[in-house]
Each structure stands twice: as C-alpha cells, then as structure tokens.
Amino acid sequence: MNSLTDSGALYDRLIVDRARTPLHAGRLEQADAQGEGKNPLCGDKTRVDVQMADTHISQIRHQTRGCAICLAAADLMAERVTGLTVPQAQDLSRRFSAMLVNEPASTPDTNTNTPALGPLEAFAPLRAHRARIRCAELPWVALKEALSHVDV
Amino acid sequence: MSMASTQDKVRQDLDVAAIRQQFPILSQKVHDRPLVFLDSAASAQKPEAVIEAMAHTMRCQYANIHRGLYWMSERTTEAYEAVRDQVARFLNAHSREEIVFTRNSTEAINLVAHSFGALLKPGQAVVISEMEHHANLIPWQMLRDRAGIELRVAPITDAGDIDLDALQGLLADGKVALVAMTHMSNVLGTVTPAKTIADMAHAAGAQVLFDGSQSVVHRKTDVQALGADFYTFTGHKLYGPTGIGVLWARKELLEAMPPFMGGGDMISTVTFEKSTWANVPHKFEAGTPAIIETIGLGAAISWVEAIGFEAIGAHEAALTVHALTRLADVPGLKIVGQPKERGGVISFTMDDVHPHDIATLLDRNGIAVRAGHHCAEPLMRRLGLTATARASFGIYTLPEEIDTLADTLVRIRNFFV
Ligand SMILES: Cc1ncc(COP(=O)(O)O)c(C=O)c1O
C-alpha cells in the first residue's frame, strides 16, 4: 500500500513533530498581552501570551488544545513572530492567510519589510483542505487579539 | 468471532454488489482511491431510482400543485399526494392527514416547538435527553425562553443508554407536557426503548415525540406500536433527496395546534380582516412545497421497502458486529458508548490523535467519515470529549470497506504516536 499521506503532503514531518513536541507551549508570567481563539465547530482552543521588549515581540507562549494542524500552527507562529514588530507580525499574518487561500503566484511579495513565511510554508498544502484552514488560522486569531492590546 | 467469519456473515444477508451498482456515486474515486463512504448517518447516497424519479418529474410531468386546473398540474398533484399515502403506510399512521411534509427533521421539530409549544402554559415542562442532536434541543430552548416553560434534561448512563429511573423522576410532578427524544443517537448509535419511554410519558400525562432521523433508515417504524404522538424524519438520510422531511402527529394534536407558517396553500378563506385555515395537514404546508423532492422521497421509500427492513437490519447488524470486532483490534482506539441496543453508527477516539486529523488522513485514503461534535455539544461535554470520529454504515456498505478503515487507522496511529 502507498504511504499514508503521499499526495497530500499536508502532514509534513515538521507539523507532526511540532504537534507532538511543541517548543513554545506554556504561559508567560510577565505577559504584556493575551489573546484567545476558539473554534466552536470542533472545540479547538488556543491562548497566546505575548511579551514585548520596546517595539518588538520578545517572547510568545501558547496553550493549545486542538488538532495537529492547530498545535503546529501555534508553535511555528510563536517561533516566527518572535523578534518582529507589531506591524511586521500583522503583515506576516496577512501573508499567511493569503497563502492558505490563494495560489502561490497570486500572493505578491511587494512589501520587502515583511519577513518571509519560512517554515510556515509547510501549511501551504492546506489550500486543498478548505475545511481545515481555520485550524491553522486559529492561533493567528489569538495573536491578533493579543496585539490589539499592545500599545506601542 | 474471527474476522473472516464476521465478514461472511455480512455477505449472507444481502446482495450488496448488486445494490452498489444502483449507486452511481460509489464508483467515484477520491484522491485516486476508490471512495469508501462511511458517513451515511450524516446523509446517505442516492440510488438511480431516486435520481431518475426526480429527473423524470422535471422532464415529463411537472407543474405547481393544488392550484392548477389543467392536466399537468393535476398529475403532479396526484404524484405528490401519493407520497403522503406512501409515508402514512411507511410509518403505519392512522391516516394520510397525519403526514405533514417539511424541509427536514429540523423543521419538523421546530414546527412542533412552535405550534404545540403555543398550547403550553408557563410552568409546564418539556423533557429531552442528554444525547439529543441540536435539532431536538435548540427549538425547545427557544420555546423555553419565549414561553416560560421549563426544559428538563434526562441523563444518560455511562454506557450511553437513557437513564430510565432518572426520567421517571423528571416526570413525577406531572408538569411535563412533552417528552422529546431521539429514537436513535447519531453519535452513540443507541437505539432508545421508545415504547417504554412512551408508556412512561403517557402515565405522567405527557405526549411524546421521537426524533426518528437516524432510526427510520435501519428498521421498520410503526408509530402506533411505539405509542408515539409525534414522529419526525428527514429524507436525505433515507436514500432520498435533501429538502424534504416528515412530521407525523396524531390528528387531534395537529387539529388543536395553530399553524406554523402563513401563506398560500394553508388557508381556507382570506379577507383583510380575518383568515381561516385549511384542514390538516395542509394547514401546516404554507407555500409551494418541495414537489420534486417529495416525489424523490416516495421513490426512496419504494426502493427501501423493495429490499425490505428485514434484510437491511440483518445486513447492518452484521456490519456493526464486524466493525466492532475489527476496531477493537486497532491499538489505542476507544469506542464511545456501549449501549444495550445499537444501530450502524460507531463513534471512536484514538489515543491523542485528534478526530480532525484522523478524518483528514482517512480522506487522503479515500475514506469518508465524520469528525467533530456531530451537532451534539452537550453530549460531548457529558462524555468528557470535545470531538469524536464517527463511521456509519448503509445498505451499500461492504465488510471490506470496514477492513480498509481499520487498516488505515492502524497506519494513522503509527504515523502520530
Ligand atoms: C438524530 C438526528 N436528529 C436530527 C437531525 C437533523 O436532520 P436534518 O438536518 O435533516 O434536519 C439529524 C441529522 O443530522 C440527526 O442525526
């Protein structure tokens, strides 16, 4: 029999590993802002704690209960936005969403200040799984809420 | 029982290969794999006979009903009303006037909540159970908030059966006007002891409604033998089309209830000052109904009855035994609920693998199952879960498809754990 995921490639090794062993899970005692995301359809839940250093995000921790896609998305998001300014993180969030709904060619990278998606590109195959896109976006919903409480 | 013997048992009861030939969709491929469709409890696939009956109506014999004074309208009216007779026989109703066509089960229950609900007084109560589909929960919550009635919830046991002693307790003060309960759980597969529940309700002076959405598909339904007062089902789970459902209710109840929606077809006389209502069941069928879908439902019922519930029941019971046997061998897999009597619906979890991940990976292998809370959030909470995966079976399900499911689940688990 063929391998379990061949044509899908959705469950990239990186995603499975981060779902199983997240590197940025937990809480921040000294969080400057917090945000929550909930998906009433499946009960998935994530909570994001953000700590700022001047204008930059210095640390992020998440507490996530959900599927592998949601868990890995939270963990890789935390990794990717650490060190970014709030506008940069918001730009990245938009770019991440665009990647999930658009074909790659139609996502113009005009803003050179936006950091690259990097490992977040592992989620690109979600395009073919519309019903699961919200799983990957849930942590970003929580981050957006957290960043809306940050005044810089 | 060994795997081979439970497989053979399935084969004896029904010529499944011949039945599958009648479902064009079952020869489709998904992600380059043969489709293994294990989500009939959400909606069943449609046989050629249903597709053809609907297409034939649109091609050859279609006009609006109950109003045209011309040949084509009269023929269409006859075809539509003939399905009412058919449904009356299908449920063993006392008369055709007791059959109300709705959009689905959800609308049928909303109709009862609205129109029977209008007869209730503050202080009276409605009892549901912990394992209701939202369709048999939300309409009663809305009625509670609108009419000041009380909503009581009968608990289930850990095995997934209605706790009859607790139900007895809820009925004791004589305030309950209606017990509204599922006849078969879409999550646990539990078949509820409808006759017992009806007797208990009646002894306490209450009416009883059964949500037959899941149940009618698998067994012969006799509303008189069950002692029901209301019964609902939905066409699309019974191999029929979407957009057509049925409310059966005792005629005296329908006659006492005010209309649900107003409009054309449901009236007797209309003036600007006052209007009067048509007789039942037309009082409850406002506007142009789902004519084509109703005719499709008639074709579905004929098709199911030609196979017969004895063969269907035996086939599905054997499939369920085979599935329980095979799934028990999947490491880390837990079947949710061990009800006394179950239909062909099995919910499960597998270690920490999230049901959504299970469903997506099964889908990559051509296998369609449902994952989530199955429109029964309070039940999930009762079970201490947020979601389950669910496999459900139909007339066309093969034992080999269950084997494919079990084998693929083992590989999914190895992938994650
Ligand atoms: C037990 C039960 N009740 C009610 C419904 C609602 O059916 P429908 O959506 O066709 O109204 C369903 C189907 O999802 C069900 O399984």
Side-chain angles (χ1 to χ4, degrees), chain A residues 1-11 13 16 20 40-44 65-69 128-129 132 135, chain B residues 31 33 352 354 356-361 363-365 372-373 377 386-387 404 407-408 411-417:
Chain A
M1 211 186 271
N2 298 325
S3 93
L4 193 59
T5 59
D6 48 351
S7 55
L10 169 58
Y11 291 86
R13 204 66 241 172
V16 176
R20 200 180 323 177
L41 280 178
C42 58
D44 285 2
R65 185 187 71 192
C67 62
I69 303 296
H129 298 264
R132 302 296 304 277
C135 307
Chain B
H31 304 304
R33 314 281 175 96
D352 289 337
H354 193 284
H356 280 185
D357 296 320
I358 295 175
T360 297
L361 283 167
D363 175 58
R364 296 301 324 171
N365 291 269
H373 57 51
E377 271 189 63
T386 50
T404 305
D407 295 342
T408 312
R411 288 160 57 222
I412 291 173
R413 180 168 183 276
N414 292 340
F415 182 71
F416 275 106
V417 180

Side-chain angles (χ1 to χ4, degrees), chain B residues 184-387:
Chain B
M184 175 178 154
S185 163
N186 61 310
V187 178
L188 304 173
T190 313
V191 177
T192 55
K195 179 71 173 84
T196 307
I197 292 168
D199 289 346
M200 288 167 67
H202 293 153
Q207 313 288 338
V208 61
L209 174 149
F210 292 114
D211 171 3
S213 308
Q214 293 294 337
S215 176
V216 292
V217 183
H218 306 292
R219 53 187 53 223
K220 171 73 193 143
T221 305
D222 182 335
V223 291
Q224 298 191 52
L226 291 173
D229 300 294
F230 299 96
Y231 201 94
T232 71
F233 73 92
T234 195
H236 66 96
K237 295 186 204 277
L238 187 61
Y239 310 99
T242 51
I244 179 68
V246 169
L247 166 66
W248 167 85
R250 286 195 297 109
K251 194 171 169 193
E252 309 87 89
L253 288 168
L254 288 178
E255 281 175 339
M257 286 155 51
F260 179 37
M261 290 190 280
D265 270 354
M266 53 76 72
I267 46 81
S268 171
T269 58
V270 178
T271 66
F272 281 117
E273 290 70 38
K274 184 172 167 47
S275 300
T276 56
W277 314 138
N279 290 332
V280 297
H282 301 289
K283 179 168 84 176
F284 294 104
E285 293 180 6
T288 300
I291 300 167
I292 297 155
E293 290 78 0
T294 306
I295 291 168
L297 173 65
I301 290 176
S302 299
W303 185 83
V304 165
E305 287 181 330
I307 295 170
F309 276 108
E310 210 171 311
I312 292 170
H315 172 66
E316 290 177 355
L319 276 175
T320 305
V321 170
H322 182 60
L324 291 171
T325 312
R326 285 305 319 269
L327 293 177
D329 287 342
V330 176
L333 188 144
K334 270 222 258 326
I335 287 164
V336 180
Q338 309 289 339
K340 291 195 185 90
E341 194 185 345
R342 84 150 71 223
V345 168
I346 299 178
S347 280
F348 58 91
T349 59
M350 195 166 63
D351 287 329
D352 289 337
V353 188
H354 193 284
H356 280 185
D357 296 320
I358 295 175
T360 297
L361 283 167
L362 287 174
D363 175 58
R364 296 301 324 171
N365 291 269
I367 306 167
V369 300
R370 176 103 188 252
H373 57 51
H374 315 289
C375 298
E377 271 189 63
L379 172 59
M380 290 291 135
R381 217 161 286 131
R382 162 68 176 83
L383 298 167
L385 299 167
T386 50

